Amino acid sequence: MKILIVDDSSTMRRIIINTLSRIGYTDVVEGEHGKAGLEKLAQGGVEMIITDWNMPEMDGLEFVQAVRTQNASIPILMVTTNAAKEDIVQALQAGVNNYVVKPFTPDTLKEKIESLLG
Amino acid sequence: MDQSEIDALMTKGPAKAGKKGGAEAQAKPAGTVNPDDPQGHVISELDAVTAVTERETNKVMDQLDLISTLVGSQQTLITEVMRHPGAQDPAVQTAVNQLMAAGKEIQAKVYEAMDLMQFQDITRQKLERIVFHLRQIHDYIVDLLGTGLKSEGERASISRTITSTGTTPDEKRAHADSVVDEFKRSLNKD
């Protein structure tokens, strides 16, 4: 299972990769913003996306919208500091399948990933 | 951050701009406007702080990774020792089991510490929000001095822009799971 992680913070990408490896997902590709994420996605093989919202170049919401124009079914999990109800609804309307507010625990990430893949 | 970088930051501003913008700044006396750095030295410093904390956090992560690897190697060695005929003594077995348990506890604490490093990204975004506020205030004051007082409508527009950027204030935080469930239920109804 190849997972694409899109986040402009190298620390956050590292934390997510570390958490994923602890729960058994080691095949990971990374992008530092939406545009880089789309490039990685175009290379193929990605089966799930974990994306941040606030990023330079192309933010997470624009990225999700762009992904959904070409792939309606790939599971997308948004992991962000944006925690207002209107933000969460906006992300869901854009095509996000589930939503995690930072800071998260490994258990939360595991639960969300498993529910998306299950 | 080493002493030379701290000195550079204190005297001349950041050595390089942060990744989300910010220009190299020169120190200016208070109250002086630098035309090459219209956003001001403070904003550049905040950008530099976010870049430095990210770099330093990654160094901490490197050390935690190293500890994790060392603990893993130690666990492998202990397992080897336990297979040795001389290690079958009950007292030795007890000690070795305690060592294994301590190793697992260290590993769990290392993972916990790694997870806590999320504070860096959250703090960075809070600083970016402050930078955004400062830029808005800066632009507003410049505009105010140049063209007179803004209308109530324009003020409200600025306020909305600030509210919708960066981290969410505590009073506006929602429970994500509840919102997701509510959204999915509303889709099912339709």
Side-chain angles (χ1 to χ4, degrees):
Chain A
M1 153 84 51
K2 186 185 277 187
I3 300 178
L4 168 63
I5 299 166
V6 186
D7 197 310
D8 60 325
S9 162
S10 60
T11 308
M12 273 315 299
R13 291 200 303 273
R14 206 164 161 177
I15 290 168
I16 293 171
I17 290 169
N18 193 286
T19 306
L20 290 175
S21 79
R22 274 143 65 191
I23 58 178
Y25 301 101
T26 52
D27 192 2
V28 169
V29 282
E30 304 173 54
E32 60 185 25
H33 46 65
K35 279 185 185 170
L38 288 175
E39 285 167 18
K40 298 286 178 181
L41 194 63
Q43 289 169 12
V46 173
E47 291 170 83
M48 184 179 175
I49 298 170
I50 297 175
T51 183
D52 184 23
W53 186 320
N54 301 305
M55 295 180 285
E57 299 283 333
M58 177 189 274
D59 70 25
L61 203 65
E62 293 168 318
F63 170 64
V64 171
Q65 287 162 342
V67 170
R68 285 299 178 225
T69 61
Q70 51 186 277
N71 189 327
S73 61
I74 189 165
I76 304 178
L77 177 64
M78 184 164 267
V79 181
T80 174
T81 54
N82 291 16
K85 184 178 179 180
E86 57 266 32
D87 289 336
I88 301 169
V89 170
Q90 199 181 355
L92 291 164
Q93 285 170 340
V96 161
N97 297 96
N98 216 323
Y99 201 96
V100 173
V101 176
K102 294 174 186 172
F104 59 84
T105 64
D107 287 343
T108 303
L109 199 63
K110 184 181 180 186
E111 181 201 320
K112 299 297 176 194
I113 290 171
E114 286 174 352
S115 78
L116 286 181
L117 299 174
Chain B
M1 188 177 207
D2 59 32
Q3 191 56 52
S4 62
E5 289 172 300
I6 295 168
D7 292 343
L9 199 62
M10 296 297 285
T11 57
K12 291 192 296 183
K16 60 179 181 179
K19 65 182 171 182
K20 279 189 176 174
E24 199 167 307
Q26 295 295 318
K28 288 272 178 186
T32 310
V33 176
N34 178 357
D36 298 328
D37 182 16
Q39 306 299 344
H41 188 191
V42 173
I43 292 173
S44 297
E45 276 195 29
L46 287 172
D47 278 344
V49 166
T50 61
V52 168
T53 54
E54 181 167 8
R55 193 187 68 202
E56 298 303 306
T57 304
N58 278 328
K59 285 184 186 172
V60 175
M61 293 284 283
D62 288 342
Q63 296 302 313
L64 290 171
D65 269 339
L66 184 61
I67 293 169
S68 185
T69 306
L70 291 172
V71 170
S73 305
Q74 192 184 43
Q75 300 286 78
T76 308
L77 283 172
I78 292 170
T79 307
E80 289 296 316
V81 167
M82 285 177 88
R83 291 200 191 104
H84 196 274
Q88 300 311 310
D89 182 276
V92 174
Q93 286 282 313
T94 303
V96 164
N97 284 334
Q98 284 172 346
L99 276 174
M100 287 293 276
K104 282 180 185 164
E105 202 174 326
I106 293 168
Q107 189 71 272
K109 291 293 174 192
V110 166
Y111 289 149
E112 213 175 293
M114 284 178 176
D115 293 334
L116 289 173
M117 292 295 135
Q118 290 179 68
F119 89 91
Q120 190 279 327
D121 183 49
I122 294 163
T123 307
R124 177 180 66 92
Q125 294 197 39
K126 285 183 175 173
L127 281 173
E128 282 169 1
R129 186 179 172 81
I130 292 168
V131 169
F132 182 84
H133 279 257
L134 288 172
R135 287 193 173 127
Q136 289 284 331
I137 292 165
H138 173 274
D139 293 348
Y140 187 74
I141 290 170
V142 167
D143 205 24
L144 198 79
L145 293 173
T147 61
L149 285 169
K150 279 184 178 291
S151 69
E152 286 301 321
E154 283 173 299
R155 285 180 193 171
S157 167
I158 288 172
S159 173
R160 272 198 300 276
T161 312
I162 290 172
T163 307
S164 64
T165 304
T167 53
T168 309
D170 287 345
E171 68 275 13
K172 287 196 71 187
R173 292 176 75 87
H175 188 262
D177 286 348
S178 308
V179 179
V180 171
D181 289 344
E182 192 184 320
F183 182 82
K184 287 178 179 171
R185 275 198 303 274
S186 72
L187 286 183
N188 289 337
K189 272 185 198 169
D190 300 338

